[in-house]
Amino acid sequence: MLRSFFIYLSQQKSLRRMMEHSAFAKPLTRRFIAGNTLEEALDVCQRLNAEGIMATLDYLGESVTVVEEARRCCAQSLRSLEEIHRRGIEGTISVKLTQLGLDIDEGLCLEHARQLVELAKRTGSRVEFDMESHPYVDRTLAIVERLHGEFGSVRAVLQAYLFRTEADVRRMNELGVPVRICKGAYAEPDSVAYAEKEQVDARYLALSKTLLGQGTYPAIATHDDRMVAGATPFAADRFEFQMLYGVRRDLQRKLRAQGYRVRVYVPYGEAWYPYFMRRLAERPANVLFLARNFLRF
Ligand code: FDA
């Protein structure tokens, strides 16, 4: 119930405009957002690297409808890759294709994505293509597969809650595309996705086992101890754990200390509202955390 309400709020454009421009909202988002600027986010990545934790840098933004904005977002992600390389950061970037223009023109979006993957390959990094809501899955995977064929240096993201994901896992494994498996963060209809947490968890465990057994260097993206325990019997050099900035730092450090590879997803930028609201949707206790900080502010 509460989850659906926050996901609904995450899609409200007028609320988004108001929140992203409000001075009081910024301090409240700090737990989950590394900063407004690339420099702040790179500092966070370097601090993580110093603890032996890798990063994937996300310039926040999605649902872009203006060509100039898509171009600007592409240029910013190119800068992220250049700076990761220049500072010697152990890191990749994560992007959403609707940020690169998927809703405007698929050809333009592909061209932007290609520029990013080409630079990632040249600099020894990788582009991780976040997965958005279900109407985008086919188009996103088509672009990822194409760029995997041209360059490598990509990662696809699949969501355990979608009925289709078992077939997508099989296909990505056959093609040798590395996959990040997550539970899924959007409000999806019953016709395409499992609704119950127990069902999603069971699918997650089964799909991660298939990826760990047959996939190419998968990423197990979760903060759930039970999902983590499903992966730990597999050889630590065959996969990595991924977690979000500001979530379960205890678990991030513990897994690193046990010798597992851990990568943290580090979001930055001004367009924080939809990402932030999805984090609230995932855990109602975050709303209490926010309310306490708001009263203190
Ligand atoms: P679950 O939601 O069951 O949470 C398990 C436990 O983890 C909770 O009890 C709590 O302790 C902790 N926790 C989880 N979320 C928290 C939060 N927001 N704040 C505080 N504690 C929290 N989704 C998507 O649709 N497309 C994508 O591309 C991605 N990409 C992505 C990258 C990475 C690195 C991660 C970790 C996650 C994603 N996701 C995503 C989000 C994912 O689909 C999912 O919504 C969240 O990871 C929450 O699911 P958990 O597996 O953590 O389990």
Side-chain angles (χ1 to χ4, degrees):
M1 231 345 235
L2 208 53
R3 178 175 186 269
S4 312
F5 178 61
F6 277 103
I7 292 177
Y8 165 79
L9 290 182
S10 77
Q11 293 155 347
Q12 300 310 301
K13 291 202 171 103
S14 50
L15 202 54
R16 175 175 175 179
R17 259 194 309 277
M18 195 180 83
M19 294 293 281
E20 286 177 356
H21 289 103
S22 113
F24 82 80
K26 278 201 181 113
L28 302 181
T29 62
R30 277 215 187 105
R31 171 169 166 199
F32 298 110
I33 314 292
N36 288 341
T37 65
L38 176 58
E39 281 62 37
E40 287 169 289
L42 291 165
D43 290 347
V44 166
C45 295
Q46 284 185 313
R47 283 203 293 277
L48 288 166
N49 279 186
E51 293 180 51
I53 293 176
M54 301 174 289
T56 182
L57 196 53
D58 169 46
Y59 177 58
L60 288 163
E62 55 198 84
S63 311
V64 167
T65 53
V66 179
V67 171
E68 272 320 303
E69 176 67 1
R71 284 199 208 293
R72 194 187 59 75
C73 289
C74 177
Q76 183 66 27
S77 289
L78 287 168
R79 255 196 80 207
S80 300
L81 279 168
E82 280 160 6
E83 286 299 309
I84 284 172
H85 182 58
R86 198 178 66 80
R87 292 203 193 191
I89 288 171
E90 177 95 51
T92 62
I93 62 163
S94 286
V95 290
K96 291 182 175 54
L97 285 179
T98 65
Q99 183 185 36
L100 298 182
L102 190 58
D103 285 332
I104 308 168
D105 172 352
E106 226 167 295
L108 175 84
C109 176
L110 173 62
E111 203 31 60
H112 286 155
R114 184 179 278 126
Q115 286 178 39
L116 293 174
V117 178
E118 193 272 325
L119 180 57
K121 186 186 170 102
R122 217 160 10 97
T123 55
S125 182
R126 187 193 296 274
V127 181
E128 314 206 11
F129 288 94
D130 288 349
M131 190 55 81
E132 302 177 69
S133 57
H134 79 275
Y136 294 108
V137 177
D138 278 327
R139 284 175 288 164
T140 302
L141 292 182
I143 288 180
V144 175
E145 282 180 28
R146 184 161 173 173
L147 295 173
H148 170 75
E150 287 178 29
F151 303 98
S153 306
V154 299
R155 181 184 291 287
V157 178
L158 297 177
Q159 299 150 321
Y161 62 15
L162 293 183
F163 300 151
R164 59 173 289 164
T165 296
E166 188 172 355
D168 290 332
V169 162
R170 217 176 302 124
R171 181 163 172 79
M172 293 300 122
N173 286 353
E174 277 163 18
L175 293 172
V177 178
V179 169
R180 172 201 300 161
I181 183 82
C182 63
K183 288 188 186 175
Y186 297 82
E188 297 291 12
D190 291 349
S191 53
V192 301
Y194 297 98
E196 298 301 321
K197 179 171 163 52
E198 295 74 48
Q199 291 173 311
V200 178
D201 288 357
R203 291 312 303 144
Y204 191 97
L205 285 171
L207 293 166
S208 48
K209 201 166 164 193
T210 308
L211 283 165
L212 288 159
Q214 297 154 26
T216 304
Y217 192 63
I220 306 300
T222 183
H223 316 95
D224 186 329
D225 291 312
R226 279 186 52 231
M227 306 301 112
V228 165
T232 49
F234 289 83
D237 61 348
R238 285 186 53 84
F239 72 98
E240 64 186 45
F241 285 112
Q242 294 192 350
M243 293 183 209
L244 301 176
Y245 178 72
V247 181
R248 296 293 316 266
R249 291 191 57 196
D250 59 326
L251 185 56
Q252 296 170 17
R253 288 184 174 145
K254 183 175 121 189
L255 289 168
R256 184 64 205 125
Q258 289 173 350
Y260 291 100
R261 294 180 181 171
V262 180
R263 187 182 303 276
V264 167
Y265 186 104
V266 178
Y268 77 96
E270 305 276 348
W272 51 264
Y273 177 78
Y275 176 90
F276 179 73
M277 294 306 274
R278 287 196 293 276
R279 302 294 77 83
L280 296 188
E282 279 156 7
R283 191 164 180 255
N286 287 340
V287 182
L288 294 177
F289 162 86
L290 198 69
R292 269 201 309 275
N293 280 278
F294 185 76
L295 290 175
R296 233 183 274 146
F297 183 70

